[in-house]
Structures are given as structure tokens and as C-alpha cells.
Amino acid sequence: MIKHVVFFKFHPGTPDEEKSKMENGLRNLRSHIPEIKNFELGKDVVHSERSFDFALIGTFDDLESLKKYAAHPEHQKVLKLINRICGSIKSVDFET
């Protein structure tokens, strides 16, 4: 299994509706991309100095499944929005 963990930091002043659009877009990916085994995501609730604004944890069978997810057209659509409204994105992918 592969865990795909992503942290998002929004540009200052990003409208809430854009944030919600990103969240809904990510949530809907599970219904379009069969390679996603599990998807957890949500907004930061601590708001510390080192916090990111939003996180995603995806579970995939293997690296090939993760690559299919990354290249999927529905993921690419959401990624365009993410790249527009986020100033920083960090990720790590590891085997479990």
C-alpha cells in the first residue's frame, strides 16, 4: 500500500468559495478514480504558526495506482484550481 499525504497552504486572501470548490473537487475524485482506495481530507483546526491550511491522505494499492490517479483527467482539473489558489504544496508518499 502507498500513502499519499499532501499539505496545502492557501494564498492570503483566497476566498472561502474557492477553498470549498477545491475541497469538493478533491472529495469527488473518489467517485471518478477507482485507484483511490481511501481518501481523507480536511481543514486545519489548530492554526499554529507551522500549520498548513488543508491536508489530504490518500491510500493506493501501489505506485502504479498512484501514477494513474495523478494523471487522471479529473485529478488534473482539480490540480489546476489547487495550483492557482495555493502558495505552497508539500507531499510525501510512503509504503505501508
mmCIF file of all heavy atoms in Angstrom, residues 32-53:
data_model
loop_
_atom_site.group_PDB
_atom_site.id
_atom_site.type_symbol
_atom_site.label_atom_id
_atom_site.label_comp_id
_atom_site.label_asym_id
_atom_site.label_seq_id
_atom_site.Cartn_x
_atom_site.Cartn_y
_atom_site.Cartn_z
ATOM 1 N N HIS A 32 -14.684 9.126 -9.221
ATOM 2 C CA HIS A 32 -14.212 9.104 -10.610
ATOM 3 C C HIS A 32 -12.963 8.251 -10.831
ATOM 4 O O HIS A 32 -12.691 7.860 -11.962
ATOM 5 C CB HIS A 32 -13.884 10.529 -11.079
ATOM 6 C CG HIS A 32 -15.069 11.433 -11.133
ATOM 7 N ND1 HIS A 32 -16.024 11.328 -12.116
ATOM 8 C CD2 HIS A 32 -15.454 12.453 -10.329
ATOM 9 C CE1 HIS A 32 -16.947 12.254 -11.911
ATOM 10 N NE2 HIS A 32 -16.629 12.941 -10.835
ATOM 11 N N ILE A 33 -12.203 8.030 -9.766
ATOM 12 C CA ILE A 33 -10.895 7.378 -9.922
ATOM 13 C C ILE A 33 -10.877 6.102 -9.088
ATOM 14 O O ILE A 33 -10.716 6.147 -7.861
ATOM 15 C CB ILE A 33 -9.752 8.332 -9.507
ATOM 16 C CG1 ILE A 33 -9.850 9.646 -10.297
ATOM 17 C CG2 ILE A 33 -8.397 7.657 -9.734
ATOM 18 C CD1 ILE A 33 -8.860 10.715 -9.888
ATOM 19 N N PRO A 34 -11.035 4.947 -9.731
ATOM 20 C CA PRO A 34 -11.127 3.688 -8.987
ATOM 21 C C PRO A 34 -9.841 3.291 -8.252
ATOM 22 O O PRO A 34 -9.897 2.488 -7.321
ATOM 23 C CB PRO A 34 -11.482 2.652 -10.062
ATOM 24 C CG PRO A 34 -11.072 3.260 -11.347
ATOM 25 C CD PRO A 34 -11.174 4.748 -11.171
ATOM 26 N N GLU A 35 -8.721 3.864 -8.632
ATOM 27 C CA GLU A 35 -7.450 3.529 -7.965
ATOM 28 C C GLU A 35 -7.380 4.053 -6.533
ATOM 29 O O GLU A 35 -6.574 3.588 -5.734
ATOM 30 C CB GLU A 35 -6.261 4.080 -8.778
ATOM 31 C CG GLU A 35 -5.981 3.327 -10.048
ATOM 32 C CD GLU A 35 -6.914 3.670 -11.199
ATOM 33 O OE1 GLU A 35 -7.626 4.702 -11.143
ATOM 34 O OE2 GLU A 35 -6.952 2.891 -12.169
ATOM 35 N N ILE A 36 -8.224 5.019 -6.187
ATOM 36 C CA ILE A 36 -8.251 5.551 -4.824
ATOM 37 C C ILE A 36 -8.928 4.527 -3.916
ATOM 38 O O ILE A 36 -10.100 4.230 -4.078
ATOM 39 C CB ILE A 36 -9.008 6.892 -4.752
ATOM 40 C CG1 ILE A 36 -8.343 7.943 -5.629
ATOM 41 C CG2 ILE A 36 -9.101 7.371 -3.304
ATOM 42 C CD1 ILE A 36 -9.163 9.223 -5.783
ATOM 43 N N LYS A 37 -8.190 4.007 -2.961
ATOM 44 C CA LYS A 37 -8.753 3.042 -2.008
ATOM 45 C C LYS A 37 -9.385 3.757 -0.821
ATOM 46 O O LYS A 37 -10.384 3.309 -0.274
ATOM 47 C CB LYS A 37 -7.673 2.065 -1.517
ATOM 48 C CG LYS A 37 -7.129 1.189 -2.627
ATOM 49 C CD LYS A 37 -8.249 0.376 -3.228
ATOM 50 C CE LYS A 37 -7.787 -0.347 -4.466
ATOM 51 N NZ LYS A 37 -8.886 -0.826 -5.281
ATOM 52 N N ASN A 38 -8.768 4.845 -0.391
ATOM 53 C CA ASN A 38 -9.306 5.633 0.714
ATOM 54 C C ASN A 38 -8.822 7.063 0.525
ATOM 55 O O ASN A 38 -7.736 7.292 -0.005
ATOM 56 C CB ASN A 38 -8.861 5.079 2.061
ATOM 57 C CG ASN A 38 -9.637 5.681 3.210
ATOM 58 O OD1 ASN A 38 -10.809 6.020 3.073
ATOM 59 N ND2 ASN A 38 -8.984 5.847 4.344
ATOM 60 N N PHE A 39 -9.628 8.014 0.947
ATOM 61 C CA PHE A 39 -9.311 9.425 0.803
ATOM 62 C C PHE A 39 -9.810 10.126 2.054
ATOM 63 O O PHE A 39 -10.997 10.083 2.360
ATOM 64 C CB PHE A 39 -10.056 9.964 -0.422
ATOM 65 C CG PHE A 39 -9.220 10.728 -1.408
ATOM 66 C CD1 PHE A 39 -7.940 10.351 -1.736
ATOM 67 C CD2 PHE A 39 -9.763 11.833 -2.053
ATOM 68 C CE1 PHE A 39 -7.202 11.051 -2.677
ATOM 69 C CE2 PHE A 39 -9.036 12.535 -3.003
ATOM 70 C CZ PHE A 39 -7.756 12.140 -3.309
ATOM 71 N N GLU A 40 -8.919 10.746 2.797
ATOM 72 C CA GLU A 40 -9.285 11.549 3.954
ATOM 73 C C GLU A 40 -8.759 12.951 3.697
ATOM 74 O O GLU A 40 -7.626 13.110 3.235
ATOM 75 C CB GLU A 40 -8.651 11.004 5.225
ATOM 76 C CG GLU A 40 -9.088 9.597 5.583
ATOM 77 C CD GLU A 40 -8.322 9.083 6.782
ATOM 78 O OE1 GLU A 40 -8.651 9.503 7.906
ATOM 79 O OE2 GLU A 40 -7.392 8.291 6.571
ATOM 80 N N LEU A 41 -9.551 13.955 4.004
ATOM 81 C CA LEU A 41 -9.092 15.317 3.804
ATOM 82 C C LEU A 41 -9.828 16.249 4.719
ATOM 83 O O LEU A 41 -10.916 15.939 5.206
ATOM 84 C CB LEU A 41 -9.248 15.732 2.333
ATOM 85 C CG LEU A 41 -10.599 15.506 1.678
ATOM 86 C CD1 LEU A 41 -11.417 16.778 1.673
ATOM 87 C CD2 LEU A 41 -10.377 15.034 0.261
ATOM 88 N N GLY A 42 -9.202 17.391 4.993
ATOM 89 C CA GLY A 42 -9.869 18.360 5.847
ATOM 90 C C GLY A 42 -9.039 19.588 6.119
ATOM 91 O O GLY A 42 -7.860 19.659 5.792
ATOM 92 N N LYS A 43 -9.704 20.563 6.736
ATOM 93 C CA LYS A 43 -9.108 21.851 7.081
ATOM 94 C C LYS A 43 -8.372 21.759 8.411
ATOM 95 O O LYS A 43 -8.798 21.050 9.322
ATOM 96 C CB LYS A 43 -10.201 22.906 7.207
ATOM 97 C CG LYS A 43 -11.015 23.093 5.959
ATOM 98 C CD LYS A 43 -12.207 23.987 6.236
ATOM 99 C CE LYS A 43 -13.180 23.917 5.090
ATOM 100 N NZ LYS A 43 -14.476 24.479 5.418
ATOM 101 N N ASP A 44 -7.307 22.526 8.520
ATOM 102 C CA ASP A 44 -6.564 22.621 9.777
ATOM 103 C C ASP A 44 -7.449 23.247 10.859
ATOM 104 O O ASP A 44 -8.172 24.216 10.591
ATOM 105 C CB ASP A 44 -5.320 23.476 9.567
ATOM 106 C CG ASP A 44 -4.548 23.694 10.849
ATOM 107 O OD1 ASP A 44 -4.145 22.697 11.469
ATOM 108 O OD2 ASP A 44 -4.371 24.866 11.241
ATOM 109 N N VAL A 45 -7.389 22.701 12.059
ATOM 110 C CA VAL A 45 -8.182 23.237 13.171
ATOM 111 C C VAL A 45 -7.317 23.882 14.251
ATOM 112 O O VAL A 45 -7.846 24.549 15.135
ATOM 113 C CB VAL A 45 -9.091 22.147 13.804
ATOM 114 C CG1 VAL A 45 -10.128 21.667 12.805
ATOM 115 C CG2 VAL A 45 -8.275 20.994 14.348
ATOM 116 N N VAL A 46 -6.001 23.723 14.176
ATOM 117 C CA VAL A 46 -5.110 24.263 15.205
ATOM 118 C C VAL A 46 -4.650 25.676 14.870
ATOM 119 O O VAL A 46 -4.546 26.533 15.747
ATOM 120 C CB VAL A 46 -3.898 23.316 15.416
ATOM 121 C CG1 VAL A 46 -2.896 23.911 16.387
ATOM 122 C CG2 VAL A 46 -4.373 21.955 15.910
ATOM 123 N N HIS A 47 -4.345 25.929 13.604
ATOM 124 C CA HIS A 47 -3.915 27.247 13.132
ATOM 125 C C HIS A 47 -2.662 27.748 13.840
ATOM 126 O O HIS A 47 -2.561 28.931 14.181
ATOM 127 C CB HIS A 47 -5.038 28.286 13.255
ATOM 128 C CG HIS A 47 -6.316 27.857 12.614
ATOM 129 N ND1 HIS A 47 -6.472 27.706 11.248
ATOM 130 C CD2 HIS A 47 -7.514 27.502 13.158
ATOM 131 C CE1 HIS A 47 -7.692 27.313 10.984
ATOM 132 N NE2 HIS A 47 -8.350 27.173 12.114
ATOM 133 N N SER A 48 -1.707 26.859 14.047
ATOM 134 C CA SER A 48 -0.437 27.275 14.639
ATOM 135 C C SER A 48 0.441 27.901 13.559
ATOM 136 O O SER A 48 0.127 27.848 12.364
ATOM 137 C CB SER A 48 0.276 26.080 15.272
ATOM 138 O OG SER A 48 0.841 25.248 14.279
ATOM 139 N N GLU A 49 1.536 28.473 13.982
ATOM 140 C CA GLU A 49 2.456 29.121 13.047
ATOM 141 C C GLU A 49 2.988 28.148 11.998
ATOM 142 O O GLU A 49 3.227 28.511 10.860
ATOM 143 C CB GLU A 49 3.617 29.738 13.830
ATOM 144 C CG GLU A 49 4.521 30.606 12.994
ATOM 145 C CD GLU A 49 5.565 31.298 13.838
ATOM 146 O OE1 GLU A 49 5.186 32.054 14.751
ATOM 147 O OE2 GLU A 49 6.754 31.073 13.569
ATOM 148 N N ARG A 50 3.148 26.888 12.360
ATOM 149 C CA ARG A 50 3.708 25.904 11.423
ATOM 150 C C ARG A 50 2.641 25.117 10.657
ATOM 151 O O ARG A 50 2.961 24.289 9.814
ATOM 152 C CB ARG A 50 4.633 24.945 12.153
ATOM 153 C CG ARG A 50 3.928 24.034 13.117
ATOM 154 C CD ARG A 50 4.894 23.147 13.854
ATOM 155 N NE ARG A 50 4.170 22.050 14.460
ATOM 156 C CZ ARG A 50 4.673 20.878 14.713
ATOM 157 N NH1 ARG A 50 5.928 20.649 14.438
ATOM 158 N NH2 ARG A 50 3.955 19.946 15.262
ATOM 159 N N SER A 51 1.381 25.386 10.924
ATOM 160 C CA SER A 51 0.291 24.659 10.285
ATOM 161 C C SER A 51 0.140 25.010 8.812
ATOM 162 O O SER A 51 0.335 26.166 8.413
ATOM 163 C CB SER A 51 -1.048 24.967 10.965
ATOM 164 O OG SER A 51 -1.096 24.470 12.268
ATOM 165 N N PHE A 52 -0.249 24.020 8.029
ATOM 166 C CA PHE A 52 -0.749 24.263 6.681
ATOM 167 C C PHE A 52 -2.262 24.402 6.811
ATOM 168 O O PHE A 52 -2.842 24.123 7.860
ATOM 169 C CB PHE A 52 -0.366 23.104 5.751
ATOM 170 C CG PHE A 52 1.008 23.269 5.158
ATOM 171 C CD1 PHE A 52 2.136 23.183 5.945
ATOM 172 C CD2 PHE A 52 1.162 23.517 3.801
ATOM 173 C CE1 PHE A 52 3.401 23.349 5.410
ATOM 174 C CE2 PHE A 52 2.419 23.689 3.248
ATOM 175 C CZ PHE A 52 3.547 23.598 4.051
ATOM 176 N N ASP A 53 -2.923 24.843 5.749
ATOM 177 C CA ASP A 53 -4.356 25.130 5.819
ATOM 178 C C ASP A 53 -5.247 23.921 5.591
ATOM 179 O O ASP A 53 -6.381 23.881 6.066
ATOM 180 C CB ASP A 53 -4.724 26.195 4.771
ATOM 181 C CG ASP A 53 -3.998 27.508 5.008
ATOM 182 O OD1 ASP A 53 -3.924 27.948 6.172
ATOM 183 O OD2 ASP A 53 -3.503 28.082 4.023
#
